[in-house]
Amino acid sequence: MPQTGRPRAFDAEAALDRAVEVFWRQGYEGASLTDLTNAMGINKPSLYAAYGNKEGLFRKVVARYADVEMAYARDALTQATAYEVAAAMLRANVVALTRPDRPAGCLSIQGGTACSTENAGIAAFLAASRLAGEQALAERFARAVEEHDLPEGADPVALARFVSIVTEGQAVHAAAGVTRAQLEQAAEIALHAFAAAAYPDRPVSSTGR
Amino acid sequence: MPQTGRPRAFDAEAALDRAVEVFWRQGYEGASLTDLTNAMGINKPSLYAAYGNKEGLFRKVVARYADVEMAYARDALTQATAYEVAAAMLRANVVALTRPDRPAGCLSIQGGTACSTENAGIAAFLAASRLAGEQALAERFARAVEEHDLPEGADPVALARFVSIVTEGQAVHAAAGVTRAQLEQAAEIALHAFAAAAYPDRPVSSTGR
DNA sequence: TTGCTTTTGTACCGAGCGGTACGGAACTCC
DNA sequence: GGAGTTCCGTACCGCTCGGTACAAAAGCAA
């Protein structure tokens, strides 16, 4: 595989990271190619050669975002118990949504929940990727039932949906400028709910961190 | 105030309702003037004469949406107890998000959580209007503390924030196509959490409706 | 009928959109 | 030092965007 020709003058992965921020802040439709190329430090033909087109770039951006910024979600799944999984997920999510060196909120929602008809696929793609994360969580909770960590009556799918809904609400709230401390407070309430719903027969201790 | 001149040939309020649907489905930036005028059955000069410009139309659309589609939220505030307020809010929200004759989700989020830099004001406007609803809820819960409905230690602001976060997460989920029954299940879990957080000393009964 | 006022439809505006043609520049292989 | 290959920068494409000029149409008052 002979690699000849003029070498690329930019770091494709670093440029992708710049694009992540632009889409994160402005959404798919709100980010113009000019915004993107300016932030990435390249011009349009380079962008098209390296990433295909705007949609191709966006999909690579989402993949990169999932790799880098959503690592906490995969880590959370490795916790020992369902409760710890939920706790890690909710708490780390709040931290990720409010990092001072990142745009507030999450790309998966900021990218676009509604689009023009011609870009409807973008919103659907993002929705599907969110639901995939929810399903992974549901599978982890199902394992917890098998392991008798969660009681037999627990509904792994419903629990995962609840956790996922809270993380999405947190993301919307974070994008509106709500502070990390305020979101953490809400995460603890949600976690309390998770415990009550997951272990319905067990008495619930008082709320609080 | 003499009303002379050629009379308007369309119902401005009915046309506004058509515009609500377009912005609800496609978001502010995803809805073009062509999309809007086609749906409203008018042409551009009529739109500009009646509503100012695209942003003016959008603000009128949001106001109309708040009047018509968010009535349930104001109704919920009139419930007798904080718990009933939260229950009415969460349950009615699910119904509103999944009406078969309406776009899925809510305009306040579908309208745009992220926008191009020149339309950043739109996202901020929507965020502010959501937070205003949350504040109304917080005031209702504060009243509940005064009335000794909620215990003295309860935090009305945090409770309102939690409820608000769940409704927003539900909206994102609904827009992704999650069914009403699935959202209702999550609402009940959240409601359970609300009870535990609002009445921390009281024992919690098992989950379920 | 004659003004006067307002709305309507058409046709158009400058600007920005996503995307590309093309020539020169920078590299490897022979 | 070509020859071949790939990338970079400029300049441009057709199209759609939000917004408007203008004249005909439709109402009122006199």
Side-chain angles (χ1 to χ4, degrees):
Chain A
M1 206 167 284
Q3 174 190 334
T4 162
R6 178 174 174 171
R8 174 177 287 159
F10 63 96
D11 178 343
E13 214 167 54
L16 202 56
D17 284 332
R18 308 285 196 87
V20 168
E21 282 223 15
V22 175
F23 280 126
W24 195 342
R25 283 213 166 80
Q26 302 179 207
Y28 180 77
E29 293 189 324
S32 73
L33 284 184
T34 304
D35 294 332
L36 291 163
T37 52
N38 283 349
M40 298 166 83
I42 63 179
N43 36 40
K44 283 193 271 186
S46 298
L47 190 153
Y48 278 78
Y51 311 99
N53 60 7
K54 188 184 181 185
E55 177 167 353
L57 172 62
F58 183 71
R59 289 178 183 267
K60 287 183 174 63
V61 155
V62 171
R64 173 102 178 131
Y65 175 86
D67 271 1
V68 175
E69 309 287 344
M70 296 282 291
Y72 75 86
R74 289 186 298 278
D75 289 350
L77 296 179
T78 66
Q79 295 291 317
T81 68
Y83 179 84
E84 287 172 305
V85 168
M89 187 74 80
L90 288 170
R91 290 172 180 154
N93 178 57
V94 168
V95 172
L97 294 172
T98 55
R99 289 185 56 172
D101 57 339
R102 296 276 191 289
C106 85
L107 171 64
S108 182
I109 288 176
Q110 299 300 102
T113 54
C115 286
S116 67
T117 51
E118 70 183 274
N119 288 324
I122 296 291
F125 165 65
L126 288 173
S129 78
R130 289 193 303 266
L131 292 179
E134 178 177 321
Q135 197 185 340
L137 192 55
E139 284 163 11
R140 176 63 187 82
F141 288 156
R143 204 190 84 196
V145 174
E146 286 173 17
E147 292 170 347
H148 305 292
D149 164 23
L150 287 175
E152 222 171 306
D155 184 341
V157 173
L159 291 172
R161 191 179 301 123
F162 172 73
V163 171
S164 178
I165 283 170
V166 172
T167 60
E168 288 170 358
Q170 298 265 37
V172 173
H173 247 58
V178 174
T179 68
R180 178 175 289 185
Q182 291 170 327
L183 295 181
E184 282 170 344
Q185 214 175 1
E188 296 308 316
I189 295 178
L191 201 47
H192 204 74
F194 177 86
Y199 308 95
D201 301 327
R202 207 169 301 182
V204 177
S205 68
S206 93
T207 183
R209 47 179 56 229
Chain B
M1 208 166 283
Q3 176 190 335
T4 160
R6 178 173 175 172
R8 172 177 287 159
F10 63 96
D11 178 343
E13 213 167 55
L16 202 55
D17 285 331
R18 308 285 194 88
V20 168
E21 282 224 14
V22 175
F23 279 126
W24 194 342
R25 282 213 166 81
Q26 301 179 207
Y28 179 76
E29 292 189 323
S32 72
L33 285 183
T34 304
D35 294 332
L36 290 163
T37 52
N38 283 349
M40 299 167 83
I42 64 180
N43 37 40
K44 283 192 271 187
S46 297
L47 189 154
Y48 278 78
Y51 311 99
N53 60 6
K54 188 185 180 183
E55 178 167 352
L57 172 62
F58 184 70
R59 289 177 183 268
K60 288 184 173 62
V61 156
V62 171
R64 173 103 178 131
Y65 175 85
D67 271 1
V68 176
E69 309 286 345
M70 296 282 291
Y72 74 86
R74 290 186 298 277
D75 290 350
L77 295 179
T78 67
Q79 294 291 317
T81 68
Y83 179 84
E84 286 172 305
V85 168
M89 188 73 80
L90 289 170
R91 289 172 181 153
N93 178 57
V94 168
V95 172
L97 294 173
T98 55
R99 290 184 56 171
D101 56 340
R102 295 276 189 291
C106 86
L107 171 64
S108 181
I109 288 175
Q110 299 299 103
T113 54
C115 286
S116 67
T117 50
E118 70 182 275
N119 289 324
I122 295 293
F125 165 65
L126 288 173
S129 78
R130 289 193 303 266
L131 292 179
E134 178 178 322
Q135 197 184 340
L137 191 55
E139 284 163 12
R140 176 63 187 83
F141 288 157
R143 205 189 84 198
V145 174
E146 287 174 19
E147 292 171 347
H148 303 292
D149 164 23
L150 287 176
E152 221 172 305
D155 183 341
V157 173
L159 291 172
R161 190 179 302 122
F162 172 72
V163 171
S164 178
I165 283 170
V166 173
T167 59
E168 288 169 358
Q170 298 266 37
V172 173
H173 247 57
V178 174
T179 68
R180 178 176 289 186
Q182 292 169 326
L183 295 181
E184 282 171 343
Q185 214 175 0
E188 297 308 317
I189 295 178
L191 202 46
H192 205 73
F194 178 86
Y199 308 94
D201 302 327
R202 209 168 299 181
V204 177
S205 69
S206 93
T207 184
R209 49 177 54 227

